[in-house]
Every structure is written in structure tokens, then in C-alpha cells.
Short mmCIF file of all heavy atoms in Angstrom, two decimals:
data_model
loop_
_atom_site.label_atom_id
_atom_site.label_comp_id
_atom_site.label_asym_id
_atom_site.label_seq_id
_atom_site.Cartn_x
_atom_site.Cartn_y
_atom_site.Cartn_z
N MET D 1 -58.91 -38.19 31.61
CA MET D 1 -57.61 -38.08 31.10
C MET D 1 -56.64 -38.78 32.06
O MET D 1 -56.72 -38.66 33.25
CB MET D 1 -57.21 -36.62 30.95
CG MET D 1 -55.80 -36.44 30.54
SD MET D 1 -55.33 -34.67 30.35
CE MET D 1 -55.01 -34.26 32.03
N GLU D 2 -55.71 -39.53 31.50
CA GLU D 2 -54.73 -40.24 32.33
C GLU D 2 -53.31 -39.64 32.05
O GLU D 2 -52.97 -39.41 30.89
CB GLU D 2 -54.72 -41.70 31.99
CG GLU D 2 -53.91 -42.52 32.96
CD GLU D 2 -54.21 -43.99 32.87
OE1 GLU D 2 -55.36 -44.36 32.52
OE2 GLU D 2 -53.32 -44.74 33.14
N LYS D 3 -52.58 -39.36 33.12
CA LYS D 3 -51.33 -38.69 32.96
C LYS D 3 -50.33 -39.36 33.97
O LYS D 3 -50.71 -39.58 35.09
CB LYS D 3 -51.47 -37.20 33.26
CG LYS D 3 -50.22 -36.40 33.10
CD LYS D 3 -50.50 -34.91 33.33
CE LYS D 3 -49.30 -34.10 33.18
NZ LYS D 3 -49.53 -32.63 33.46
N THR D 4 -49.14 -39.61 33.55
CA THR D 4 -48.10 -40.15 34.38
C THR D 4 -47.16 -39.05 34.79
O THR D 4 -46.60 -38.34 33.97
CB THR D 4 -47.33 -41.29 33.68
OG1 THR D 4 -48.27 -42.31 33.31
CG2 THR D 4 -46.24 -41.87 34.56
N ILE D 5 -46.87 -38.99 36.08
CA ILE D 5 -45.92 -38.01 36.64
C ILE D 5 -44.68 -38.81 37.03
O ILE D 5 -44.71 -39.61 37.92
CB ILE D 5 -46.50 -37.29 37.86
CG1 ILE D 5 -47.87 -36.72 37.62
CG2 ILE D 5 -45.50 -36.25 38.38
CD1 ILE D 5 -47.94 -35.67 36.55
N ASP D 6 -43.59 -38.56 36.37
CA ASP D 6 -42.38 -39.32 36.64
C ASP D 6 -41.17 -38.42 36.92
O ASP D 6 -40.02 -38.79 36.81
CB ASP D 6 -42.07 -40.30 35.55
CG ASP D 6 -41.86 -39.64 34.20
OD1 ASP D 6 -42.01 -38.40 34.10
OD2 ASP D 6 -41.61 -40.38 33.22
N TYR D 7 -41.42 -37.19 37.31
CA TYR D 7 -40.31 -36.27 37.61
C TYR D 7 -40.38 -35.87 39.06
O TYR D 7 -41.39 -36.09 39.74
CB TYR D 7 -40.34 -35.03 36.71
CG TYR D 7 -41.66 -34.30 36.74
CD1 TYR D 7 -41.91 -33.35 37.69
CD2 TYR D 7 -42.70 -34.59 35.86
CE1 TYR D 7 -43.07 -32.63 37.75
CE2 TYR D 7 -43.85 -33.85 35.87
CZ TYR D 7 -44.08 -32.92 36.84
OH TYR D 7 -45.26 -32.25 36.91
N GLU D 8 -39.32 -35.28 39.60
CA GLU D 8 -39.31 -34.85 40.96
C GLU D 8 -40.23 -33.63 41.16
O GLU D 8 -40.08 -32.66 40.43
CB GLU D 8 -37.91 -34.54 41.41
CG GLU D 8 -37.12 -35.69 41.91
CD GLU D 8 -37.79 -36.44 43.03
OE1 GLU D 8 -38.19 -35.82 44.08
OE2 GLU D 8 -37.98 -37.66 42.94
N LEU D 9 -41.12 -33.71 42.06
CA LEU D 9 -42.03 -32.61 42.34
C LEU D 9 -41.44 -31.68 43.41
O LEU D 9 -40.85 -32.20 44.38
CB LEU D 9 -43.38 -33.18 42.78
CG LEU D 9 -44.12 -34.02 41.82
CD1 LEU D 9 -45.30 -34.66 42.50
CD2 LEU D 9 -44.62 -33.18 40.66
N LYS D 10 -41.64 -30.41 43.25
CA LYS D 10 -41.20 -29.49 44.29
C LYS D 10 -42.36 -29.38 45.29
O LYS D 10 -43.48 -29.73 45.03
CB LYS D 10 -40.91 -28.10 43.65
CG LYS D 10 -39.77 -28.10 42.76
CD LYS D 10 -39.50 -26.76 42.18
CE LYS D 10 -38.35 -26.79 41.18
NZ LYS D 10 -38.19 -25.53 40.46
N ARG D 11 -42.02 -28.88 46.47
CA ARG D 11 -43.00 -28.72 47.52
C ARG D 11 -44.16 -27.85 47.01
O ARG D 11 -43.93 -26.80 46.48
CB ARG D 11 -42.32 -28.09 48.76
CG ARG D 11 -43.24 -28.02 49.91
CD ARG D 11 -42.52 -27.45 51.13
NE ARG D 11 -43.09 -27.83 52.34
CZ ARG D 11 -42.68 -28.86 53.04
NH1 ARG D 11 -41.64 -29.54 52.72
NH2 ARG D 11 -43.29 -29.20 54.19
N GLY D 12 -45.34 -28.30 47.19
CA GLY D 12 -46.54 -27.55 46.77
C GLY D 12 -47.03 -27.94 45.38
O GLY D 12 -48.16 -27.73 45.01
N ASP D 13 -46.14 -28.57 44.54
CA ASP D 13 -46.56 -28.97 43.21
C ASP D 13 -47.58 -30.09 43.28
O ASP D 13 -48.54 -30.12 42.44
CB ASP D 13 -45.38 -29.46 42.41
CG ASP D 13 -44.45 -28.36 41.95
OD1 ASP D 13 -44.87 -27.18 42.10
OD2 ASP D 13 -43.37 -28.68 41.39
N LEU D 14 -47.44 -30.98 44.23
CA LEU D 14 -48.34 -32.13 44.40
C LEU D 14 -49.77 -31.66 44.60
O LEU D 14 -50.68 -32.07 43.93
CB LEU D 14 -47.89 -33.02 45.51
CG LEU D 14 -48.49 -34.34 45.70
CD1 LEU D 14 -48.23 -35.23 44.50
CD2 LEU D 14 -47.97 -35.07 46.96
N ALA D 15 -49.95 -30.78 45.56
CA ALA D 15 -51.32 -30.27 45.88
C ALA D 15 -51.87 -29.50 44.66
O ALA D 15 -53.03 -29.63 44.37
CB ALA D 15 -51.23 -29.36 47.09
N ALA D 16 -51.03 -28.72 43.99
CA ALA D 16 -51.51 -27.96 42.83
C ALA D 16 -52.01 -28.91 41.73
O ALA D 16 -53.02 -28.67 41.04
CB ALA D 16 -50.42 -27.05 42.30
N LEU D 17 -51.25 -29.99 41.47
CA LEU D 17 -51.68 -30.97 40.42
C LEU D 17 -52.98 -31.60 40.84
O LEU D 17 -53.89 -31.77 39.97
CB LEU D 17 -50.60 -32.03 40.29
CG LEU D 17 -49.38 -31.69 39.50
CD1 LEU D 17 -48.32 -32.81 39.64
CD2 LEU D 17 -49.78 -31.53 38.01
N ILE D 18 -53.17 -31.96 42.07
CA ILE D 18 -54.34 -32.65 42.55
C ILE D 18 -55.53 -31.71 42.52
O ILE D 18 -56.66 -32.06 42.13
CB ILE D 18 -54.15 -33.27 43.94
CG1 ILE D 18 -53.15 -34.44 43.82
CG2 ILE D 18 -55.44 -33.76 44.54
CD1 ILE D 18 -52.63 -34.98 45.12
N ARG D 19 -55.32 -30.48 42.94
CA ARG D 19 -56.41 -29.48 42.90
C ARG D 19 -56.89 -29.21 41.47
O ARG D 19 -58.04 -28.91 41.22
CB ARG D 19 -55.96 -28.12 43.49
CG ARG D 19 -55.93 -28.17 45.00
CD ARG D 19 -55.68 -26.77 45.54
NE ARG D 19 -55.66 -26.80 47.00
CZ ARG D 19 -54.61 -26.85 47.76
NH1 ARG D 19 -53.40 -26.80 47.20
NH2 ARG D 19 -54.71 -26.91 49.07
N GLY D 20 -56.00 -29.33 40.50
CA GLY D 20 -56.35 -29.07 39.13
C GLY D 20 -57.06 -30.21 38.42
O GLY D 20 -57.43 -30.08 37.22
N MET D 21 -57.25 -31.32 39.10
CA MET D 21 -57.89 -32.49 38.46
C MET D 21 -59.38 -32.26 38.30
O MET D 21 -60.02 -31.69 39.10
CB MET D 21 -57.66 -33.72 39.29
CG MET D 21 -56.23 -34.18 39.40
SD MET D 21 -56.02 -35.61 40.48
CE MET D 21 -56.76 -36.93 39.52
N ASP D 22 -59.91 -32.79 37.18
CA ASP D 22 -61.36 -32.80 36.99
C ASP D 22 -61.89 -34.21 37.31
O ASP D 22 -61.10 -35.17 37.34
CB ASP D 22 -61.72 -32.50 35.50
CG ASP D 22 -61.36 -31.08 35.13
OD1 ASP D 22 -61.60 -30.18 35.96
OD2 ASP D 22 -60.95 -30.84 34.00
N VAL D 23 -63.18 -34.34 37.55
CA VAL D 23 -63.75 -35.62 37.84
C VAL D 23 -63.46 -36.60 36.67
O VAL D 23 -63.61 -36.27 35.56
CB VAL D 23 -65.30 -35.54 38.03
CG1 VAL D 23 -65.93 -36.93 38.24
CG2 VAL D 23 -65.62 -34.66 39.24
N GLY D 24 -62.93 -37.78 37.09
CA GLY D 24 -62.58 -38.79 36.11
C GLY D 24 -61.08 -38.79 35.72
O GLY D 24 -60.58 -39.75 35.10
N ASP D 25 -60.38 -37.69 36.02
CA ASP D 25 -58.94 -37.64 35.71
C ASP D 25 -58.18 -38.61 36.55
O ASP D 25 -58.52 -38.92 37.70
CB ASP D 25 -58.38 -36.22 36.00
CG ASP D 25 -58.76 -35.19 34.95
OD1 ASP D 25 -59.34 -35.60 33.93
OD2 ASP D 25 -58.38 -34.03 35.12
N ILE D 26 -57.13 -39.18 35.97
CA ILE D 26 -56.26 -40.10 36.67
C ILE D 26 -54.78 -39.63 36.53
O ILE D 26 -54.32 -39.31 35.45
CB ILE D 26 -56.36 -41.52 36.03
CG1 ILE D 26 -57.78 -42.03 36.16
CG2 ILE D 26 -55.35 -42.48 36.67
CD1 ILE D 26 -58.06 -43.31 35.36
N LEU D 27 -54.13 -39.59 37.69
CA LEU D 27 -52.69 -39.24 37.64
C LEU D 27 -51.91 -40.43 38.28
O LEU D 27 -52.36 -41.02 39.26
CB LEU D 27 -52.42 -38.01 38.53
CG LEU D 27 -52.99 -36.67 38.03
CD1 LEU D 27 -52.69 -35.57 39.05
CD2 LEU D 27 -52.40 -36.33 36.65
N ARG D 28 -50.76 -40.78 37.69
CA ARG D 28 -49.93 -41.82 38.20
C ARG D 28 -48.61 -41.22 38.63
O ARG D 28 -47.97 -40.47 37.95
CB ARG D 28 -49.67 -42.84 37.06
CG ARG D 28 -50.89 -43.55 36.66
CD ARG D 28 -50.69 -44.48 35.44
NE ARG D 28 -51.91 -45.15 35.08
CZ ARG D 28 -52.26 -46.29 35.59
NH1 ARG D 28 -51.53 -46.95 36.47
NH2 ARG D 28 -53.43 -46.87 35.16
N PHE D 29 -48.20 -41.58 39.92
CA PHE D 29 -47.03 -41.05 40.53
C PHE D 29 -46.14 -42.23 40.92
O PHE D 29 -46.61 -43.34 41.10
CB PHE D 29 -47.36 -40.29 41.81
CG PHE D 29 -48.16 -39.03 41.53
CD1 PHE D 29 -49.51 -39.06 41.52
CD2 PHE D 29 -47.51 -37.84 41.37
CE1 PHE D 29 -50.27 -37.91 41.32
CE2 PHE D 29 -48.22 -36.66 41.19
CZ PHE D 29 -49.58 -36.69 41.15
N PRO D 30 -44.81 -42.00 41.13
CA PRO D 30 -43.95 -43.01 41.66
C PRO D 30 -44.45 -43.46 43.01
O PRO D 30 -45.02 -42.69 43.81
CB PRO D 30 -42.59 -42.32 41.79
CG PRO D 30 -42.67 -41.14 40.85
CD PRO D 30 -44.11 -40.76 40.84
N ILE D 31 -44.31 -44.76 43.34
CA ILE D 31 -44.77 -45.27 44.60
C ILE D 31 -44.22 -44.54 45.80
O ILE D 31 -44.77 -44.47 46.86
CB ILE D 31 -44.54 -46.80 44.70
CG1 ILE D 31 -45.32 -47.46 45.83
CG2 ILE D 31 -43.05 -47.10 44.86
CD1 ILE D 31 -46.80 -47.55 45.55
N SER D 32 -43.04 -43.93 45.64
CA SER D 32 -42.37 -43.18 46.72
C SER D 32 -43.25 -41.98 47.19
O SER D 32 -43.02 -41.53 48.32
CB SER D 32 -41.02 -42.69 46.32
OG SER D 32 -41.07 -41.84 45.21
N LYS D 33 -44.14 -41.55 46.36
CA LYS D 33 -45.02 -40.42 46.70
C LYS D 33 -46.31 -40.86 47.38
O LYS D 33 -47.18 -40.03 47.74
CB LYS D 33 -45.38 -39.63 45.46
CG LYS D 33 -44.20 -38.99 44.82
CD LYS D 33 -43.64 -37.88 45.64
CE LYS D 33 -42.48 -37.21 44.95
NZ LYS D 33 -41.73 -36.40 45.89
N HIS D 34 -46.52 -42.18 47.61
CA HIS D 34 -47.81 -42.67 48.10
C HIS D 34 -48.25 -42.01 49.42
O HIS D 34 -49.38 -41.58 49.53
CB HIS D 34 -47.78 -44.18 48.23
CG HIS D 34 -49.11 -44.81 48.50
ND1 HIS D 34 -50.06 -44.86 47.53
CD2 HIS D 34 -49.67 -45.26 49.61
CE1 HIS D 34 -51.14 -45.43 48.03
NE2 HIS D 34 -50.94 -45.67 49.31
N ASN D 35 -47.39 -42.02 50.38
CA ASN D 35 -47.78 -41.41 51.71
C ASN D 35 -48.12 -39.94 51.58
O ASN D 35 -49.04 -39.48 52.21
CB ASN D 35 -46.69 -41.65 52.73
CG ASN D 35 -46.63 -43.10 53.20
OD1 ASN D 35 -47.55 -43.85 53.06
ND2 ASN D 35 -45.53 -43.47 53.76
N SER D 36 -47.34 -39.20 50.76
CA SER D 36 -47.63 -37.81 50.57
C SER D 36 -48.99 -37.64 49.88
O SER D 36 -49.76 -36.73 50.23
CB SER D 36 -46.55 -37.17 49.71
OG SER D 36 -45.34 -37.18 50.33
N LEU D 37 -49.32 -38.51 48.94
CA LEU D 37 -50.57 -38.41 48.25
C LEU D 37 -51.72 -38.71 49.20
O LEU D 37 -52.75 -38.00 49.13
CB LEU D 37 -50.63 -39.40 47.04
CG LEU D 37 -49.70 -39.07 45.92
CD1 LEU D 37 -49.54 -40.30 45.02
CD2 LEU D 37 -50.23 -37.87 45.14
N ARG D 38 -51.59 -39.71 50.04
CA ARG D 38 -52.62 -40.02 51.00
C ARG D 38 -52.87 -38.83 51.97
O ARG D 38 -53.99 -38.52 52.26
CB ARG D 38 -52.26 -41.30 51.80
CG ARG D 38 -52.11 -42.52 51.00
CD ARG D 38 -53.37 -43.22 50.64
NE ARG D 38 -54.09 -43.51 51.87
CZ ARG D 38 -55.28 -44.05 51.94
NH1 ARG D 38 -55.90 -44.37 50.82
NH2 ARG D 38 -55.85 -44.30 53.03
N SER D 39 -51.79 -38.23 52.43
CA SER D 39 -51.92 -37.09 53.30
C SER D 39 -52.54 -35.89 52.66
O SER D 39 -53.40 -35.21 53.19
CB SER D 39 -50.55 -36.69 53.87
OG SER D 39 -49.96 -37.74 54.55
N THR D 40 -52.10 -35.64 51.45
CA THR D 40 -52.59 -34.48 50.72
C THR D 40 -54.12 -34.57 50.36
O THR D 40 -54.83 -33.62 50.49
CB THR D 40 -51.77 -34.27 49.41
OG1 THR D 40 -50.43 -34.11 49.75
CG2 THR D 40 -52.28 -33.04 48.65
N THR D 41 -54.55 -35.76 49.96
CA THR D 41 -55.92 -35.90 49.59
C THR D 41 -56.86 -36.16 50.73
O THR D 41 -58.06 -36.14 50.61
CB THR D 41 -56.13 -37.05 48.56
OG1 THR D 41 -55.63 -38.26 49.11
CG2 THR D 41 -55.36 -36.76 47.28
N GLY D 42 -56.28 -36.37 51.94
CA GLY D 42 -57.10 -36.61 53.14
C GLY D 42 -57.66 -35.33 53.63
O GLY D 42 -57.49 -34.25 53.09
N ASN D 43 -58.34 -35.41 54.78
CA ASN D 43 -59.00 -34.26 55.36
C ASN D 43 -58.06 -33.10 55.68
O ASN D 43 -58.41 -31.94 55.52
CB ASN D 43 -59.75 -34.63 56.65
CG ASN D 43 -61.03 -35.43 56.30
OD1 ASN D 43 -61.58 -35.26 55.26
ND2 ASN D 43 -61.42 -36.27 57.20
N GLY D 44 -56.85 -33.41 56.10
CA GLY D 44 -55.93 -32.38 56.51
C GLY D 44 -55.39 -31.56 55.37
O GLY D 44 -55.29 -30.32 55.43
N GLY D 45 -55.04 -32.19 54.25
CA GLY D 45 -54.39 -31.51 53.14
C GLY D 45 -55.30 -30.77 52.25
O GLY D 45 -54.95 -29.75 51.65
N MET D 46 -56.51 -31.19 52.10
CA MET D 46 -57.48 -30.59 51.15
C MET D 46 -58.82 -30.35 51.85
O MET D 46 -59.86 -30.63 51.31
CB MET D 46 -57.66 -31.47 49.96
CG MET D 46 -56.44 -31.80 49.16
SD MET D 46 -56.22 -30.51 47.95
CE MET D 46 -54.90 -31.17 46.99
N ALA D 47 -58.78 -29.78 53.07
CA ALA D 47 -59.99 -29.65 53.87
C ALA D 47 -61.02 -28.78 53.17
O ALA D 47 -62.23 -29.11 53.15
CB ALA D 47 -59.68 -29.04 55.23
N VAL D 48 -60.61 -27.67 52.53
CA VAL D 48 -61.56 -26.76 51.85
C VAL D 48 -62.16 -27.48 50.68
O VAL D 48 -63.37 -27.43 50.47
CB VAL D 48 -60.82 -25.49 51.41
CG1 VAL D 48 -61.75 -24.64 50.52
CG2 VAL D 48 -60.35 -24.72 52.63
N GLU D 49 -61.34 -28.14 49.90
CA GLU D 49 -61.81 -28.87 48.69
C GLU D 49 -62.78 -29.97 49.08
O GLU D 49 -63.77 -30.18 48.42
CB GLU D 49 -60.67 -29.40 47.87
CG GLU D 49 -59.84 -28.33 47.20
CD GLU D 49 -58.81 -27.68 48.11
OE1 GLU D 49 -58.73 -28.02 49.28
OE2 GLU D 49 -58.08 -26.79 47.59
N ARG D 50 -62.47 -30.72 50.17
CA ARG D 50 -63.32 -31.81 50.57
C ARG D 50 -64.64 -31.27 51.09
O ARG D 50 -65.69 -31.88 50.92
CB ARG D 50 -62.61 -32.67 51.58
CG ARG D 50 -61.46 -33.49 50.99
CD ARG D 50 -60.80 -34.37 51.97
NE ARG D 50 -61.64 -35.42 52.47
CZ ARG D 50 -61.90 -36.61 51.87
NH1 ARG D 50 -61.35 -36.88 50.76
NH2 ARG D 50 -62.71 -37.46 52.42
N SER D 51 -64.64 -30.13 51.78
CA SER D 51 -65.86 -29.54 52.26
C SER D 51 -66.77 -29.09 51.08
O SER D 51 -67.96 -28.99 51.23
CB SER D 51 -65.61 -28.37 53.18
OG SER D 51 -65.10 -27.26 52.50
N GLU D 52 -66.15 -28.83 49.92
CA GLU D 52 -66.90 -28.46 48.71
C GLU D 52 -67.43 -29.73 47.98
O GLU D 52 -68.07 -29.58 46.96
CB GLU D 52 -66.00 -27.62 47.78
CG GLU D 52 -65.62 -26.31 48.33
CD GLU D 52 -64.53 -25.60 47.52
OE1 GLU D 52 -63.97 -26.27 46.58
OE2 GLU D 52 -64.28 -24.46 47.78
N GLY D 53 -67.02 -30.87 48.44
CA GLY D 53 -67.56 -32.12 47.85
C GLY D 53 -66.55 -32.84 46.92
O GLY D 53 -66.89 -33.84 46.36
N ARG D 54 -65.33 -32.31 46.85
CA ARG D 54 -64.31 -33.02 45.99
C ARG D 54 -63.80 -34.24 46.76
O ARG D 54 -63.60 -34.19 47.96
CB ARG D 54 -63.17 -32.06 45.69
CG ARG D 54 -63.57 -30.86 44.93
CD ARG D 54 -62.29 -30.12 44.52
NE ARG D 54 -62.64 -28.73 44.07
CZ ARG D 54 -61.70 -27.89 43.70
NH1 ARG D 54 -60.44 -28.24 43.71
NH2 ARG D 54 -62.07 -26.67 43.36
N ARG D 55 -63.60 -35.32 45.98
CA ARG D 55 -63.07 -36.55 46.59
C ARG D 55 -62.06 -37.18 45.61
O ARG D 55 -62.24 -37.08 44.37
CB ARG D 55 -64.17 -37.54 46.85
CG ARG D 55 -65.19 -37.12 47.87
CD ARG D 55 -64.60 -37.15 49.27
NE ARG D 55 -65.60 -36.84 50.29
CZ ARG D 55 -65.89 -35.61 50.76
NH1 ARG D 55 -65.31 -34.58 50.19
NH2 ARG D 55 -66.78 -35.47 51.65
N TRP D 56 -61.03 -37.82 46.16
CA TRP D 56 -60.03 -38.51 45.41
C TRP D 56 -59.85 -39.92 45.92
O TRP D 56 -60.01 -40.15 47.07
CB TRP D 56 -58.69 -37.76 45.46
CG TRP D 56 -58.70 -36.40 44.95
CD1 TRP D 56 -58.36 -36.02 43.67
CD2 TRP D 56 -59.03 -35.20 45.58
NE1 TRP D 56 -58.47 -34.67 43.50
CE2 TRP D 56 -58.91 -34.15 44.67
CE3 TRP D 56 -59.48 -34.91 46.89
CZ2 TRP D 56 -59.18 -32.83 45.01
CZ3 TRP D 56 -59.75 -33.61 47.24
CH2 TRP D 56 -59.61 -32.55 46.26
N SER D 57 -59.41 -40.80 45.06
CA SER D 57 -59.05 -42.15 45.47
C SER D 57 -57.52 -42.29 45.19
O SER D 57 -57.04 -41.92 44.11
CB SER D 57 -59.83 -43.14 44.60
OG SER D 57 -59.30 -44.45 44.72
N VAL D 58 -56.82 -42.86 46.18
CA VAL D 58 -55.38 -43.10 46.01
C VAL D 58 -55.15 -44.60 46.23
O VAL D 58 -55.45 -45.13 47.26
CB VAL D 58 -54.54 -42.30 47.06
CG1 VAL D 58 -53.07 -42.58 46.83
CG2 VAL D 58 -54.88 -40.83 46.95
N ILE D 59 -54.65 -45.23 45.17
CA ILE D 59 -54.41 -46.68 45.22
C ILE D 59 -52.96 -46.95 44.92
O ILE D 59 -52.37 -46.35 43.98
CB ILE D 59 -55.30 -47.35 44.17
CG1 ILE D 59 -56.75 -47.16 44.51
CG2 ILE D 59 -54.96 -48.88 44.06
CD1 ILE D 59 -57.71 -47.61 43.41
N ALA D 60 -52.32 -47.86 45.68
CA ALA D 60 -50.96 -48.29 45.38
C ALA D 60 -50.97 -49.47 44.43
O ALA D 60 -51.59 -50.50 44.70
CB ALA D 60 -50.28 -48.68 46.72
N ASP D 61 -50.32 -49.33 43.32
CA ASP D 61 -50.10 -50.42 42.38
C ASP D 61 -48.67 -50.92 42.57
O ASP D 61 -47.71 -50.41 41.95
CB ASP D 61 -50.34 -49.89 40.94
CG ASP D 61 -50.16 -50.96 39.89
OD1 ASP D 61 -49.74 -52.10 40.22
OD2 ASP D 61 -50.39 -50.68 38.73
N LEU D 62 -48.57 -51.90 43.44
CA LEU D 62 -47.22 -52.38 43.82
C LEU D 62 -46.51 -53.12 42.65
O LEU D 62 -45.31 -53.06 42.52
CB LEU D 62 -47.31 -53.29 45.04
CG LEU D 62 -47.84 -52.60 46.32
CD1 LEU D 62 -47.92 -53.61 47.42
CD2 LEU D 62 -46.96 -51.42 46.69
N LYS D 63 -47.33 -53.75 41.79
CA LYS D 63 -46.72 -54.45 40.68
C LYS D 63 -45.97 -53.50 39.73
O LYS D 63 -44.87 -53.79 39.30
CB LYS D 63 -47.81 -55.17 39.88
CG LYS D 63 -47.30 -55.92 38.66
CD LYS D 63 -48.44 -56.65 37.91
CE LYS D 63 -47.91 -57.28 36.72
NZ LYS D 63 -48.95 -57.82 35.86
N ASN D 64 -46.54 -52.34 39.50
CA ASN D 64 -45.94 -51.34 38.61
C ASN D 64 -45.21 -50.28 39.39
O ASN D 64 -44.75 -49.29 38.73
CB ASN D 64 -47.00 -50.73 37.69
CG ASN D 64 -47.55 -51.73 36.75
OD1 ASN D 64 -46.84 -52.54 36.17
ND2 ASN D 64 -48.89 -51.77 36.62
N ARG D 65 -45.14 -50.36 40.69
CA ARG D 65 -44.41 -49.43 41.55
C ARG D 65 -44.94 -48.00 41.33
O ARG D 65 -44.12 -47.07 41.15
CB ARG D 65 -42.90 -49.50 41.35
CG ARG D 65 -42.37 -50.89 41.40
CD ARG D 65 -41.48 -51.25 42.54
NE ARG D 65 -40.79 -50.25 43.26
CZ ARG D 65 -40.97 -50.08 44.61
NH1 ARG D 65 -41.76 -50.89 45.25
NH2 ARG D 65 -40.29 -49.16 45.23
N GLU D 66 -46.26 -47.82 41.39
CA GLU D 66 -46.81 -46.48 41.23
C GLU D 66 -48.03 -46.29 42.08
O GLU D 66 -48.63 -47.27 42.55
CB GLU D 66 -47.12 -46.19 39.80
CG GLU D 66 -48.10 -47.08 39.16
CD GLU D 66 -48.26 -46.88 37.64
OE1 GLU D 66 -47.46 -46.14 37.07
OE2 GLU D 66 -49.18 -47.45 37.07
N SER D 67 -48.36 -45.05 42.35
CA SER D 67 -49.57 -44.67 43.06
C SER D 67 -50.53 -44.03 42.06
O SER D 67 -50.09 -43.17 41.31
CB SER D 67 -49.29 -43.70 44.23
OG SER D 67 -48.54 -44.35 45.23
N ILE D 68 -51.77 -44.42 42.09
CA ILE D 68 -52.76 -43.92 41.16
C ILE D 68 -53.77 -43.03 41.91
O ILE D 68 -54.41 -43.51 42.84
CB ILE D 68 -53.47 -45.11 40.45
CG1 ILE D 68 -52.40 -45.97 39.80
CG2 ILE D 68 -54.50 -44.57 39.47
CD1 ILE D 68 -52.98 -47.34 39.37
N VAL D 69 -53.89 -41.82 41.49
CA VAL D 69 -54.83 -40.89 42.06
C VAL D 69 -55.95 -40.66 41.07
O VAL D 69 -55.68 -40.33 39.90
CB VAL D 69 -54.21 -39.53 42.41
CG1 VAL D 69 -55.24 -38.55 43.00
CG2 VAL D 69 -53.05 -39.69 43.36
N THR D 70 -57.22 -40.85 41.48
CA THR D 70 -58.37 -40.66 40.61
C THR D 70 -59.26 -39.68 41.30
O THR D 70 -59.61 -39.82 42.47
CB THR D 70 -59.13 -42.01 40.41
OG1 THR D 70 -58.22 -42.96 39.93
CG2 THR D 70 -60.25 -41.85 39.43
N ARG D 71 -59.70 -38.67 40.58
CA ARG D 71 -60.70 -37.70 41.12
C ARG D 71 -62.08 -38.37 40.93
O ARG D 71 -62.49 -38.68 39.79
CB ARG D 71 -60.58 -36.37 40.39
CG ARG D 71 -61.73 -35.41 40.62
CD ARG D 71 -61.51 -34.49 41.81
NE ARG D 71 -62.68 -33.75 42.08
CZ ARG D 71 -62.95 -32.56 41.54
NH1 ARG D 71 -62.14 -31.99 40.71
NH2 ARG D 71 -64.10 -31.98 41.86
N ILE D 72 -62.77 -38.61 42.02
CA ILE D 72 -64.04 -39.39 41.94
C ILE D 72 -65.29 -38.47 42.12
O ILE D 72 -66.37 -38.88 41.82
CB ILE D 72 -64.07 -40.56 42.95
CG1 ILE D 72 -63.76 -40.08 44.34
CG2 ILE D 72 -63.10 -41.62 42.49
CD1 ILE D 72 -63.88 -41.21 45.39
N SER D 73 -65.11 -37.32 42.66
CA SER D 73 -66.23 -36.34 42.72
C SER D 73 -65.76 -34.94 42.99
O SER D 73 -64.60 -34.73 43.29
CB SER D 73 -67.24 -36.77 43.80
OG SER D 73 -66.68 -36.58 45.08
#
């Protein structure tokens, strides 16, 4: 499922959205959230989830000014 997020997120909303993703889900965020997404999906932000085998890919699409998060496992 692909979903575009184009509203202002409150603190904690970002992690909740990412935790709720299923394998193959894609979320698109404004490019301004890219660093937050990288931090959140990295070892520090989702340590428990990563230890359970969950993985995400975060790619910057500069042409469309968005960050794309894909749940890969």
C-alpha cells in the first residue's frame, strides 16, 4: 500500500506511523522530514523493532521533494 503524508506530524506520530507499516508498505513524506526518518528507522530510533528483524528503506526523491519509506522486512 502506498500512502502520502503531507500534513504536519506531531512528536511521536512519525514513529507510530512507521511502526504500523507492513512489509511492502510505502509512505511518502515531505523532504523536510528526511533526517528525522533516517534517525527514526536507524538503530537508535527503532532498536527493539530492528532486533525483531524489521527493516525499512529511506530514500530521498529530490525531484519530487519527498522522502520515501518502504518496509522491506
Side-chain angles (χ1 to χ4, degrees):
M1 175 179 80
E2 191 165 330
K3 183 176 178 182
T4 301
I5 308 297
D6 58 359
Y7 56 87
E8 273 305 307
L9 297 170
K10 294 180 183 173
R11 186 177 204 98
D13 287 351
L14 190 63
L17 282 170
I18 292 171
R19 281 189 180 100
M21 293 176 74
D22 292 323
V23 175
D25 283 356
I26 298 170
L27 294 177
R28 295 174 180 271
F29 295 88
I31 194 74
S32 62
K33 297 291 183 194
H34 190 74
N35 287 340
S36 295
L37 292 165
R38 299 279 302 176
S39 299
T40 301
T41 58
N43 286 332
M46 300 273 188
V48 173
E49 290 81 359
R50 289 182 66 84
S51 71
E52 295 170 350
R54 297 186 196 181
R55 297 287 185 272
W56 297 267
S57 167
V58 181
I59 299 171
D61 180 355
L62 298 178
K63 180 181 177 188
N64 295 315
R65 310 250 336 124
E66 60 188 10
S67 291
I68 304 166
V69 180
T70 306
R71 169 88 187 272
I72 55 177
S73 70

